[in-house]
């Protein structure tokens, strides 16, 4: 969900054409954290406002809203249009194909739907008698989903959303495992109930043993009943009672084994694996977020010592240094650690290599601290050697 910073026009300001000056101003505004914060707050307030309006309509049995509500809706639409214009001007045609274009199109679609919705409300279209209009109103959910779009403004929220999304693959296989186990048990129980149904007869079953038909009358009913046991939809004693009374008391023992294995063995193992996987994904997402936000703050293809020093005290930089095990407080010294080829600039490849070798587990971080200290000491000695050589050269020239 990270929004990429938009680079300004790479020309002296005096040489810019009027359109380029406007584009540079839009890019400068877009790249500020204040703009991102305000946009994020407006998205959140818009989501809250949608809930307020929906609740008011539900309480008053109506689809119409007061004029004050219309004014607030118009203000949200105006702000969304202004935000999209800033992004479109700053990005140019790249708005539709550069990184983040999918979210840009999503925002554009939401904006169009919101404009249509507000416009129809203002002109008094009867929304209750138009199926297409009623369907259009269901897209209010898209305004709520825009909260994920601004997750980069709040790093902790971004990490949580990324972790949930990345965990969907593991969740899919968890559901496959659970449903597979329920399917196997459901076949056995449904087969037993079916034999009992054939012997007893349909009329007898419907009159006196309707509980068996309700919970175990078919495969889908049996699987839903068993799923309700593990999801607290119904207590398992209510499900085992019809089986124990009409088929065999030993079914209680079967259910004790089933519930014990499902809840205390399978679910605990699944929970442990899921939590471990989620923690790994969260750590990876946090690392990627820190690196991405830090490189975006540099705003250059090659980072100079001056740019590095400007962002040295930023929270993202401090978190990055902590994860890399860097204890040094001197920006020049830290810059020298990352600048492997000592050319006075940090390129993207150098930055990535440093992140790969220094960001890891606690043991790796400990090794990184030692390596950083050794590297720093070597660079300091090399610097002193170069200074001595320069002094000797100057002295030799004088003599």
């Amino acid at each position: 969900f990270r929004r990429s910073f938009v680079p300004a026009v790479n020309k002296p300001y005096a040489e810019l054409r009027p359109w380029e000056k406007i584009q540079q101003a839009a890019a400068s505004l877009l790249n500020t954290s204040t703009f991102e914060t305000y946009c994020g707050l407006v998205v959140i307030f818009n989501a809250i406002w949608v809930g307020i309006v929906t609740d008011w309509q539900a309480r008053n049995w109506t689809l119409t809203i007061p004029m004050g509500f219309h004014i607030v809706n118009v203000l949200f639409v105006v702000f969304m249009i202004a935000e999209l214009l800033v992004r479109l001007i700053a990005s140019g045609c790249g708005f539709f194909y550069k990184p983040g274009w999918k979210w840009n199109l999503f925002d554009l679609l939401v904006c169009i739907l919101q404009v249509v919705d507000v416009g129809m409300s203002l002109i008094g279209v009867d929304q209750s008698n138009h199926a297409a209009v009623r369907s259009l109103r269901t897209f209010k959910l898209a305004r709520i989903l825009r909260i994920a779009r601004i997750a980069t403004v709040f790093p902790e929220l971004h990490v949580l959303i990324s972790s949930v999304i990345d965990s969907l693959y593991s969740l899919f296989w968890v559901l496959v495992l659970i449903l597979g186990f329920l399917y196997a048990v459901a076949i056995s129980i449904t087969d037993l109930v079916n034999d009992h149904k054939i012997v007893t007869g349909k009329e007898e079953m419907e009159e006196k043993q309707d509980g068996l038909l309700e919970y175990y009358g078919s495969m889908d009913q049996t699987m839903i009943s068993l799923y309700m046991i593990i999801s607290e939809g119904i207590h398992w004693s209510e499900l085992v009672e019809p089986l124990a009374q009409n088929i065999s008391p030993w079914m209680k023992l079967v259910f004790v084994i089933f519930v014990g294995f499902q809840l205390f063995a399978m679910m605990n193992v699944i929970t442990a694996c899921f939590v471990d996987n989620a923690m790994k994904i969260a750590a990876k997402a946090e690392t990627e977020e820190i690196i991405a936000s830090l490189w975006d703050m540099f705003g250059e293809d090659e980072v100079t010592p001056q740019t590095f020093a400007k962002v040295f005290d930023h929270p993202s930089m401090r978190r990055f240094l902590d994860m890399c095990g860097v204890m040094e407080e001197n920006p020049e010294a830290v810059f020298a650690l990352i600048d492997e080829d000592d050319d006075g600039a940090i390129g993207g490849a150098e930055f990535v290599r440093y992140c790969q070798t220094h960001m890891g587990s606690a043991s790796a971080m400990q090794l990184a601290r030692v390596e950083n200290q050794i590297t720093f000491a070597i660079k300091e000695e090399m610097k002193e050697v170069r200074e001595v050589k320069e002094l000797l050269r100057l002295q030799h020239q004088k003599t």
Side-chain angles (χ1 to χ4, degrees):
F1 300 113
R2 179 176 61 87
R3 287 176 171 178
S4 299
F5 276 35
V6 178
V9 181
N10 190 20
K11 288 183 182 179
Y13 188 80
E15 299 179 6
L16 296 178
R17 291 174 291 183
W19 168 252
E20 292 176 336
K21 291 181 179 180
I22 296 175
Q23 187 177 19
Q24 187 178 54
S28 300
L29 175 63
L30 185 62
N31 291 342
T32 59
S33 59
T34 303
F35 179 81
E36 290 286 341
T37 302
Y38 280 134
C39 290
L41 291 176
V42 170
V43 170
I44 293 174
F45 289 146
N46 191 11
I48 295 173
W49 180 249
V50 170
I52 293 174
V53 173
T54 303
D55 180 72
W56 189 91
Q57 291 175 326
R59 291 176 183 273
N60 292 275
W61 294 63
T62 181
L63 293 177
T64 60
I65 55 177
M67 181 54 65
F69 284 29
H70 285 301
I71 295 174
V72 176
N73 285 336
V74 170
L75 291 176
F76 279 122
V77 169
V78 170
F79 185 89
M80 182 180 292
I81 293 174
E83 179 192 352
L84 282 177
L85 284 177
V86 171
R87 298 187 182 282
L88 184 58
I89 292 172
S91 303
C93 295
F95 182 87
F96 299 100
Y97 65 86
K98 288 185 178 179
W101 66 271
K102 293 180 181 179
W103 279 112
N104 292 336
L105 293 182
F106 175 75
D107 285 346
L108 183 61
L109 176 62
V110 172
C111 182
I112 293 173
L113 292 174
Q114 193 164 352
V115 169
V116 173
D117 186 21
V118 173
M120 289 189 302
S121 298
L122 288 175
I123 63 178
V125 175
D126 187 2
Q127 301 182 15
S128 60
N129 295 325
H130 295 79
V133 175
R134 290 198 302 270
S135 300
L136 185 64
R137 291 175 61 248
T138 61
F139 282 95
K140 286 183 178 180
L141 176 63
R143 303 187 211 174
I144 313 300
L145 295 178
R146 287 194 77 225
I147 292 179
R149 174 71 159 100
I150 51 90
T152 184
V153 181
F154 312 100
E156 290 77 11
L157 177 61
H158 184 199
V159 170
L160 288 175
I161 294 177
S162 299
S163 301
V164 170
I165 292 176
D166 291 339
S167 298
L168 291 179
Y169 182 77
S170 299
L171 178 61
F172 169 77
W173 290 111
V174 166
L175 292 176
V176 169
L177 176 62
I178 293 175
L179 292 177
F181 181 70
L182 294 182
Y183 180 76
V185 177
I187 289 177
S188 302
I189 295 179
T190 305
D191 192 50
L192 286 174
V193 174
N194 190 45
D195 292 341
H196 178 74
K197 285 163 52 180
I198 295 173
V199 173
T200 305
K202 185 176 182 180
E203 294 182 0
E204 180 75 12
M205 291 291 297
E206 291 177 348
E207 290 179 3
K208 299 181 180 180
Q209 302 181 24
D210 57 324
L212 287 176
L213 297 178
E214 179 183 357
Y215 295 131
Y216 311 106
S218 61
M219 275 292 297
D220 58 322
Q221 290 175 316
T222 305
M223 288 192 66
I224 291 174
S225 299
L226 295 177
Y227 184 77
M228 286 193 294
I229 293 177
I230 63 175
S231 60
E232 298 297 331
I234 189 172
H235 196 272
W236 67 273
S237 62
E238 298 180 34
L239 293 176
V240 74
E241 195 63 30
L243 293 171
Q245 287 181 355
N246 301 301
I247 295 181
S248 172
W250 288 100
M251 293 303 298
K252 292 184 178 181
L253 178 60
V254 173
F255 263 70
V256 167
I257 297 174
F258 167 77
V259 174
F261 178 78
Q262 186 76 17
L263 295 182
F264 303 124
M266 181 180 290
M267 295 305 297
N268 282 338
V269 171
I270 290 175
T271 301
C273 294
F274 199 83
V275 169
D276 181 65
N277 188 48
M279 291 178 63
K280 291 178 181 178
I281 293 173
K284 179 183 177 182
E286 182 181 13
T287 301
E288 292 176 351
E289 168 65 20
I290 293 173
I291 294 174
S293 62
L294 188 59
W295 189 254
D296 278 342
M297 279 193 300
F298 291 147
E300 301 174 354
D301 293 335
E302 289 192 346
V303 184
T304 61
Q306 294 77 17
T307 303
F308 191 85
K310 287 180 182 179
V311 301
F312 190 76
D313 293 325
H314 192 275
S316 294
M317 174 63 80
R318 305 313 303 178
R319 290 166 65 192
F320 169 75
L321 296 178
D322 289 340
M323 296 181 72
C324 292
V326 177
M327 310 300 293
E328 182 62 45
E329 295 295 331
N330 184 359
E332 295 180 359
V334 177
F335 183 89
L337 288 174
I338 304 177
D339 185 17
E340 297 177 350
D341 53 9
D342 293 327
D343 62 349
I346 299 175
E350 283 181 306
F351 187 71
V352 170
R353 282 197 301 271
Y354 187 84
C355 294
Q356 290 175 339
T357 56
H358 292 77
M359 299 183 76
S361 60
S363 57
M365 290 173 59
Q366 190 68 25
L367 292 174
R369 290 191 179 96
V370 176
E371 182 183 353
N372 286 332
Q373 293 174 359
I374 295 174
T375 305
F376 177 70
I378 293 174
K379 291 196 177 227
E380 285 294 313
E381 291 181 2
M382 294 298 296
K383 183 178 179 182
E384 292 177 2
V385 170
R386 285 194 295 269
E387 290 176 354
V388 171
K389 286 183 178 180
E390 183 65 20
L391 289 174
L392 291 174
R393 186 181 65 80
L394 293 174
Q395 201 166 25
H396 179 70
Q397 289 178 351
K398 290 179 181 180
T399 57

